[in-house]
Amino acid sequence: MMSNPATPAKTVVISRPVHTIEDLSLGIIAAVYDDEELIDARPVPRNLDALADLLRETQVNRLVVTDWRVSEELTSKLLHVFDNEHISLSRS
C-alpha cells in the first residue's frame, strides 16, 4: 500500500507543457510527492478515471497550468472530471 503525501496538496502549479492526461498526471505527482522513490513508484494515470483517483488521493482542489496545450476535445473531458471532483483549473 502506498502512503499518502505527508502534507496534502491543495493547489498544484504545473509549469511544463501539458498535452495529455499523462502529462498532467506527471505534473501532479511531481508537485505532490517529495520522495523520489514515491514519484518513481507511483503509477502514472493515463485515463480519466485514474486521473480522478489521483486527484482524490492527493486532495488537490486547484490546478494552475502555465503551458496548457490540450486539445479542445480532451479539455472538455478534463473539465468534466474537474467539475465532478470540485477542482478549479487556471490555464494559459
Side-chain angles (χ1 to χ4, degrees):
M1 183 170 164
M2 182 122 3
S3 64
N4 287 331
T7 305
K10 295 298 180 195
T11 297
V12 168
V13 178
I14 302 171
S15 58
R16 65 176 114 187
V18 172
H19 297 269
T20 64
I21 294 169
E22 184 176 1
D23 292 340
L24 184 61
S25 299
L26 284 168
I28 293 167
I29 290 168
V32 172
Y33 295 102
D34 58 359
D35 182 329
E36 223 26 71
E37 287 183 28
L38 281 177
I39 292 170
D40 293 340
R42 176 68 173 81
V44 177
R46 294 177 182 0
N47 62 52
L48 296 169
D49 287 337
L51 175 63
D53 291 342
L54 175 66
L55 293 168
R56 284 189 296 272
E57 172 188 322
T58 57
Q59 301 179 16
V60 171
N61 63 11
R62 183 169 183 245
L63 288 169
V64 177
V65 182
T66 61
D67 197 355
W68 187 264
R69 299 182 186 190
V70 179
S71 70
E72 287 184 37
E73 180 182 354
L74 182 53
T75 294
S76 177
K77 292 175 183 177
L78 287 167
L79 290 173
H80 182 72
V81 169
F82 298 155
D83 186 50
N84 285 344
E85 298 301 323
H86 309 287
I87 296 167
S88 66
L89 171 69
S90 298
R91 59 191 163 119
S92 55

